[in-house]
Amino acid sequence: MTPPQDQEPEFLHAFTIAANDFAGAGQVSIAVKNLLKEVGFSAQCLRRVAIVAFEAEMNVVMYGGGGGLSVYLAPTLVRLVVEDQGPGIPDLDLAMQEGWSTATPEMREMGFGAGMGLPNIKRNSDRLEIHTSPGRGTKLVAEIILT
Amino acid sequence: MPVKLAQIASWLQAEVLSGHEALEREVLLAHAADMMSDVLAFSHPGSLLLTGLANPQVVRTAEVAGIRAVVFVRGKRPSEAVTLLAQEFDLPLMTTAYSMFDACGLLFAQGLRGWSLPEGRA
Ligand SMILES: Nc1ncnc2c1ncn2[C@@H]1O[C@H](COP(=O)(O)OP(=O)(O)O)[C@@H](O)[C@H]1O
Ligand SMILES: [Mg+2]
């Protein structure tokens, strides 16, 4: 499924993601969900958007050294842009594999680091682009078609 | 099989930590996990979550995944801040002394199912 060409999404809101804030991590994704709930999409779509946002936010907190999440909206499309200026992902193909993770024991104790975040993001997005380079950070662009 | 939270609490001899007014609500199936990505990947909306983790991410994961209630196993107890967060999301929480295995076994024996069995999805 590709969205119609005329559906260039418009900027809706930008959030800041704090570095290493494990107690607060996830707040931004809940805020994204609440923001889109007001626009009025199906629970199933909201769930997909929130899962993508949440996994991406956790990665920015855990590995990216903080960053930002922006929401763009078209009538039947949500675009999430999640960026950080962290270390980047050296081998993206490897990182996309289910189970591959560099999480520390502390991160695992928090319930993250199963190596399923990026695969979860992929599964819940209709289009996904990840731009990353060592030392320069990571930019993830995910689009979810709303039904 | 839909099961009321009051019934879950009674089967697990669980203490309700938040959502006392919500015990008439029903869960449709159950999911057990300590890894939150596992919950996000596999759980179905309307599920009961059994977990040995008691941090804020459990509550946020539940909110994101559409989990209807959370049971902390082997006597785990979240901090006051986590309980307050759950109240904000209208998410009932309870804690049981049973281990993960025993809590799941007791619920299964009573007829509650997970998503990987056909009966669970019925
Ligand atoms: N924003 C990021 N910056 C740097 N590395 C990342 C980022 N996101 C993911 N990674 C790397 O990719 C790996 C896999 O990510 P993911 O699939 O979300 O699993 P997990 O977070 O459980 O490790 C991480 O362990 C990490 O090494
Ligand atoms: Mg991750």
Side-chain angles (χ1 to χ4, degrees), chain A residues 55-56 58-59 62-63 112-118 121, chain B residues 37:
Chain A
E55 291 284 13
M58 290 309 300
N59 283 351
M62 295 194 295
Y63 314 109
F112 284 85
M116 289 164 66
L118 292 171
I121 289 170
Chain B
S37 288

Side-chain angles (χ1 to χ4, degrees), chain A residues 2 7 11 23 39 54 71 85 114 123 142:
Chain A
T2 30
Q7 273 208 22
F11 173 77
V39 184
F54 194 52
V71 185
Q85 273 78 51
R123 200 177 303 123

Side-chain angles (χ1 to χ4, degrees), chain A residues 115-131:
Chain A
M116 289 164 66
L118 292 171
N120 273 355
I121 289 170
K122 176 106 191 143
R123 200 177 303 123
N124 285 286
S125 306
D126 293 298
R127 231 191 72 208
L128 176 66
E129 276 174 32
I130 299 174
H131 309 277

Side-chain angles (χ1 to χ4, degrees), chain A residues 72-87:
Chain A
Y72 297 78
L73 189 62
T76 63
L77 182 83
V78 169
R79 179 187 293 162
L80 301 176
V81 180
V82 189
E83 277 178 284
D84 65 64
Q85 273 78 51

